[in-house]
């Protein structure tokens, strides 16, 4: 049962080479201390992403997937490990305008709630215009054209461009947030549960948009989600995290048809479908002793010990 | 007589272009698990609250809501009190919003027994212990002494279920009870709800946006759009042969976990807000089948469609009803997929 695969092969941090990986993450670790106890949020995480690739980070609350997303964009500083974008390290501290702009160009993020990430007092068009200006596009007419082009790419028009965030629907706001992120032409786009709050009919529109963006731009996507079906639709690889550790990292198709880690199998069995037996899932969860005592709080877990049987 | 019966219920707020609920009829029998599926703003939570006699302030109410025979529309305080304390209980999405954070779990569970039932402290405590055991919490004696912040979301939701059971209700109303929880926890909570529902013969109304969860856990499903029931049938019927274009659209928008992976076919446009109204079918503006002059003129009634050829496995068809002028011409998922495949407007 405990034939957990070794986590993804640790990539050797290599100097920049054309055709090399877009994003290389190696040995990433982040701990927090709360009230004297050390909590390992992310432990020994390694993966790489090629141009046009899409990696799904899958896990439940407390798995470390959001901490990972935040480290990728520089909102958290890892304790150990390295993040390379196109061969260049993401600086742990950014000083000065040039360095900040360079990091913005490397990685952009779209959060779950576009209400909180867009400025509520300025229109969508002005928000994107500001991003373009910040990144050195001085010509007003050129910027206006680019704003229109970016919004058209996500299926928004002049009406939405002139609107404030609160005047748009949830799906439109999330598309505006994606357009804002794309304005920088980043190498990597991180989406942290970016479609989770959307109604299913609207979510489908945004998912189709993401697959178009992948096809058309060659941008690398890191797609953080708890929803395996959505990850299957957007990504070609998936990495399953549990309490900060990598449980399994495989192409999505293999992960779903032949999951190797018992925790991945449990996650898959938990997805409601016809003939679903939630009783059996509860029994399996206890039998596996994967989640002892249903301690969903991120402060409860301690670091697992052995890397091949990551759950102590 | 059904345990819960909505009969042509309408709820309208002044200043809105359309009613929040428009002619809603649904039933839940004792021992039956029924789901009400809809997207945000469809009116599904208003429906759940109406089953407790909770209506938005200032709303004009039409029709009837009966719980165990008692009509809650225009009911006096005594009748409402009787229903809320002894017949129907509600479980909400966010367990932390429904429990006093500075009181112990035990206080939460015994409060209503002691206040409304006049139970002694010891007797109420014993009952609380029994309920915490029934919802599968690992260490009920300790949990009684704990504060809400010491429990995870999944554990606290079990406490809320135990709290809902103190009144020994016959009807359990669950408004998105697992939406804030992880998938493995969701499975455990649904297992507990189904077990309690079966063991105690409760009627269960599950309000959810997740049609797969509804189909996996409930016997019958009602699909709601813009304050109306647009389709109802057994879970199998709705999943394999939806007759309303909205139901088919929901299914076409949900990425599958297995099987072939084609491009999703989203429903175009956005759900209708309360400030919009349509003289005809409220889904007409988003519907790929809508027929000008018919669908945008008159609202379709919920009616039984002509039988269609269905796979042998679903041959035993239940009382399916659908509110669509074209239901007899639309036959389920495959037809829908073909119609929606035109890429033109769908992503806008």
């Amino acid at each position: 049962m405990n034939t957990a695969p070794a986590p993804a092969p640790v990539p050797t941090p290599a100097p920049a080479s054309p055709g090399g990986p877009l994003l290389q993450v190696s040995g990433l670790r982040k701990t927090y201390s709360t009230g004297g106890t050390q909590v390992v949020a992310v432990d020994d995480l390694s993966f790489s992403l090629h141009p046009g690739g899409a990696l799904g980070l899958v896990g439940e609350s407390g798995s470390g997937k959001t901490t990972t997303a935040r480290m990728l964009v520089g909102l958290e500083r890892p304790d150990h490990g390295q993040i390379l974008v196109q061969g260049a390290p993401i600086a742990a501290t950014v000083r000065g305008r040039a360095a900040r702009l360079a990091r913005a160009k490397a990685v952009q993020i779209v959060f779950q709630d576009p209400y909180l990430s867009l400025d509520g007092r300025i229109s969508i068009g002005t928000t994107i215009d500001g991003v373009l200006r910040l990144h050195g596009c001085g010509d007003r007419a050129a910027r206006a054209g680019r704003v229109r082009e970016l919004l058209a790419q996500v299926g928004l028009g002049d009406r939405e461009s002139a609107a404030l965030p609160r005047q748009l629907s949830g799906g439109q706001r999330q598309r505006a947030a994606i357009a804002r992120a794309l304005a920088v032409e980043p190498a990597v786009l991180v989406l942290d549960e970016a479609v989770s709050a959307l109604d299913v009919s609207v979510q489908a529109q945004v998912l189709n948009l993401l697959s178009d963006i992948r096809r058309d731009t060659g941008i690398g996507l890191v797609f953080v989600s708890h929803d395996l079906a959505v990850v299957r639709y957007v990504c070609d690889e998936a990495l399953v995290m549990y309490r900060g550790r990598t449980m399994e990292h495989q192409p999505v198709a293999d992960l779903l048809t032949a999951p190797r880690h018992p925790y991945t199998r449990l996650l898959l069995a938990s997805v409601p479908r016809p003939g679903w037996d939630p009783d059996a899932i509860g029994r399996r969860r206890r039998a596996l002793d994967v989640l002892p005592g249903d301690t969903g709080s991120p402060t409860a877990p301690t670091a697992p010990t052995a890397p091949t049987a990551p759950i102590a | 007589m059904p345990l819960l019966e909505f009969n042509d219920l309408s709820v309208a707020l002044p200043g809105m272009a359309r009613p929040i609920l428009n002619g809603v009829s649904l039933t839940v029998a004792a021992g039956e698990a029924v789901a009400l599926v809809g997207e945000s703003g469809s009116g599904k939570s208003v429906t759940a609250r109406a089953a407790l006699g909770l209506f938005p302030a200032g709303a004009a109410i039409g029709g009837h809501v009966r719980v165990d025979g008692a009509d809650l529309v225009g009911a006096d305080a005594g009748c409402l009190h009787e229903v809320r304390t002894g017949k129907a209980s509600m479980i909400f999405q966010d367990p932390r919003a429904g429990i006093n954070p500075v009181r112990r779990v035990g206080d939460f569970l015994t409060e209503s027994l002691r206040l409304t039932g006049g139970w002694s402290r010891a007797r109420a405590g014993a009952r609380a212990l029994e309920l915490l055991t029934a919802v599968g919490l690992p260490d009920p004696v300790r949990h009684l002494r704990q504060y809400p912040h010491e429990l995870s979301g999944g554990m606290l939701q079990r406490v809320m279920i135990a709290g809902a059971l103190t009144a020994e209700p016959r009807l359990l109303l669950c408004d998105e009870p697992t939406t804030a929880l992880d998938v493995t926890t969701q499975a455990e909570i649904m297992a507990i709800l189904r077990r309690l529902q079966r063991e105690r013969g409760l009627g269960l109304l599950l309000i959810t946006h997740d049609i797969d969860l509804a189909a996996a856990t409930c016997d019958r499903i009602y699909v709601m759009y813009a304050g109306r029931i647009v389709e109802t049938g057994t879970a199998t019927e709705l999943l394999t042969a939806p007759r309303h274009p909205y139901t088919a659209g929901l299914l076409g928008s949900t990425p599958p976990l297995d099987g072939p992976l084609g491009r999703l076919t989203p429903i175009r446009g956005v759900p209708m807000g309360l400030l919009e109204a349509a003289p005809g079918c409220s889904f007409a503006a988003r519907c790929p089948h809508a027929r000008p002059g018919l669908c945008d003129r008159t609202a379709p009634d919920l009616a039984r469609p002509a039988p269609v050829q269905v796979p042998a496995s679903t041959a035993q068809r239940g009382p399916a009803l659908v509110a669509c002028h074209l239901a007899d011409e639309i036959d389920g998922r495959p037809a829908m997929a073909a119609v929606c495949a035109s890429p033109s407007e769908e992503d806008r």
Side-chain angles (χ1 to χ4, degrees):
Chain A
M1 205 62 183
N2 277 325
T3 51
V10 178
T12 337
S17 60
L22 204 56
L23 172 67
Q24 269 197 330
V25 170
S26 49
L28 216 55
R29 179 179 167 91
K30 176 74 188 173
T31 55
Y32 296 104
S33 35
T34 48
T37 46
Q38 281 255 308
V39 178
V40 183
V42 175
D43 194 11
D44 196 20
L45 175 69
S46 301
F47 62 83
S48 62
L49 186 68
H50 287 270
L55 172 74
L57 289 183
V58 183
E60 298 188 287
S61 42
S63 64
K65 57 192 197 303
T66 289
T67 300
T68 304
R70 293 175 64 83
M71 284 193 285
L72 290 178
V73 288
L75 289 171
E76 303 279 354
R77 196 192 302 189
D79 301 337
H80 296 286
Q82 200 173 26
I83 301 168
L84 299 175
V85 177
Q86 291 169 317
I90 288 268
T93 46
V94 174
R95 289 198 202 287
R97 180 186 168 90
R100 208 161 23 240
L101 290 179
R103 184 160 76 187
K105 261 211 143 3
V107 189
Q108 281 288 315
I109 187 165
V110 176
F111 294 100
Q112 175 168 358
D113 185 351
Y115 245 138
L116 299 178
S117 53
L118 292 169
D119 189 331
R121 294 162 304 174
I122 57 178
S123 74
I124 300 299
T126 312
T127 299
I128 298 175
D129 184 72
V131 172
L132 294 173
R133 211 173 51 224
L134 202 59
H135 283 266
C137 178
D139 179 53
R140 181 186 292 265
R143 286 203 308 269
R146 182 75 182 125
V147 167
R148 194 164 297 131
E149 194 179 300
L150 283 161
L151 286 174
Q153 193 181 356
V154 298
L156 300 178
D158 288 343
R159 194 186 72 79
E160 289 84 7
S161 178
L164 296 177
R166 69 178 150 79
Q167 294 168 316
L168 299 179
S169 71
Q172 288 172 325
R173 269 199 298 275
Q174 199 56 294
R175 285 190 239 184
I178 293 171
R180 188 209 54 79
L182 293 177
V184 186
E185 295 175 36
V188 176
L189 181 62
V190 178
L191 299 123
D192 186 4
E193 297 280 8
V195 299
S196 312
L198 302 176
D199 275 320
V200 60
S201 68
V202 178
Q203 173 181 287
Q205 298 169 357
V206 176
L207 291 178
N208 280 351
L209 166 66
L210 289 175
S211 56
D212 291 347
I213 290 171
R214 269 194 71 189
R215 189 193 57 213
D216 299 342
T217 65
I219 197 171
L221 296 185
V222 176
F223 189 85
V224 177
S225 178
H226 67 281
D227 187 332
L228 285 163
V230 165
V231 167
R232 177 183 185 225
Y233 192 71
V234 176
C235 303
D236 26 50
E237 282 180 44
L239 191 155
V240 178
M241 295 180 77
Y242 177 69
R243 294 188 181 174
R245 302 296 296 258
T246 304
M247 299 289 106
E248 183 161 359
H249 180 182
Q250 283 212 76
V252 176
D254 299 338
L255 188 96
L256 295 181
T257 52
R260 287 184 288 178
H261 197 283
Y263 180 66
T264 313
R265 288 199 283 270
L266 178 67
L267 274 186
L268 268 171
S270 300
V271 179
R273 68 190 89 188
W276 194 50
D277 183 1
D279 274 316
I281 296 155
R283 280 196 301 275
R284 274 172 68 180
R285 178 164 156 174
R286 285 183 291 275
L288 272 174
D289 198 25
V290 166
L291 304 163
D294 186 14
T295 47
S297 143
T299 53
T302 50
T305 46
T308 46
I311 305 132
Chain B
M1 183 180 67
L3 194 56
L4 172 67
E5 182 182 18
F6 281 70
N7 192 349
D8 201 23
L9 182 75
S10 292
V11 174
L13 274 176
M16 299 295 168
R18 64 168 176 87
I20 302 174
L21 298 184
N22 193 346
V24 171
S25 295
L26 68 79
T27 60
V28 180
E32 191 185 28
V34 173
L36 178 62
V37 175
E39 296 186 283
S40 33
S42 61
K44 57 191 193 301
S45 290
V46 176
T47 307
R49 279 160 185 71
L52 288 175
L54 293 166
F55 297 101
I61 321 288
H64 304 278
V65 181
R66 293 191 186 87
V67 174
D68 211 8
D71 196 340
L72 304 186
V73 175
D76 58 32
C79 170
L80 290 176
H81 183 79
E82 193 184 327
V83 167
R84 292 173 190 166
T85 55
K87 287 182 177 167
S89 289
M90 177 104 96
I91 294 157
F92 294 95
Q93 175 174 342
D94 181 3
R96 277 185 215 284
I99 187 165
N100 187 339
V102 299
R103 301 296 300 274
R104 294 175 199 275
V105 165
D107 295 336
F108 166 74
L109 290 174
T110 52
E111 184 184 28
S112 69
L113 290 173
R114 299 194 63 205
L115 287 182
T116 64
W119 290 31
S120 72
R121 178 185 295 270
R123 187 171 167 225
R127 175 83 177 125
L129 195 64
E130 183 189 314
L131 288 169
L132 284 187
T133 312
V135 295
L137 279 169
D139 191 354
V141 179
R142 189 165 63 93
H143 297 319
L144 281 178
R145 305 274 311 152
Q146 284 181 308
Y147 287 96
H149 75 268
E150 298 177 78
L151 301 179
S152 69
M155 294 170 96
L156 205 56
Q157 191 60 298
R158 287 187 231 192
V159 170
M160 301 314 280
I161 295 172
L165 294 175
T166 50
E168 297 195 39
R170 300 190 56 209
L171 175 67
L172 211 48
L173 306 158
C174 306
D175 190 357
E176 303 269 12
T178 59
T179 306
L181 304 175
D182 285 321
V183 281
T184 53
T185 315
Q186 165 169 281
E188 294 199 304
I189 295 292
M190 289 316 300
I192 290 163
L193 287 173
R194 282 308 309 258
R195 179 169 54 74
L196 292 169
Q197 180 253 331
R198 275 194 297 263
E199 285 175 3
R200 298 169 186 232
L202 303 178
L204 186 138
L205 181 64
L206 173 71
I207 314 284
T208 178
H209 67 284
D210 184 342
I211 198 168
D212 288 317
L213 179 68
T217 51
C218 291
D219 313 314
R220 288 191 298 121
I221 297 177
Y222 291 88
V223 180
M224 189 168 233
Y225 184 77
R228 288 175 193 265
I229 303 286
V230 295
E231 182 164 13
T232 172
T234 64
T236 319
E237 278 170 351
L238 287 199
L239 278 199
T240 54
R243 302 295 292 272
H244 196 286
Y246 177 63
T247 316
L250 281 183
L251 293 172
S253 299
T254 310
L257 196 57
D258 40 33
L261 191 58
R263 191 172 169 84
L264 294 175
T265 50
I267 304 170
R268 66 187 175 203
V270 293
M272 183 184 262
L274 278 171
L275 296 173
E276 302 168 81
C281 171
S282 44
F283 189 61
R286 306 178 73 190
C287 181
H289 304 278
R291 193 166 291 167
L294 173 66
C295 297
D296 51 0
R297 291 266 172 81
T298 47
D301 292 325
L302 199 59
R304 189 179 303 275
V308 290
Q309 289 297 317
V310 290
S313 59
T314 61
Q316 66 282 33
R317 291 177 67 85
L321 298 173
V322 56
C324 177
H325 292 301
L326 307 171
D328 292 346
E329 297 163 40
I330 302 165
D331 178 15
R333 205 169 193 170
M336 187 68 194
V339 170
C340 285
S342 57
S344 55
E345 261 287 284
E346 80 200 18
D347 288 343
R348 291 301 297 256

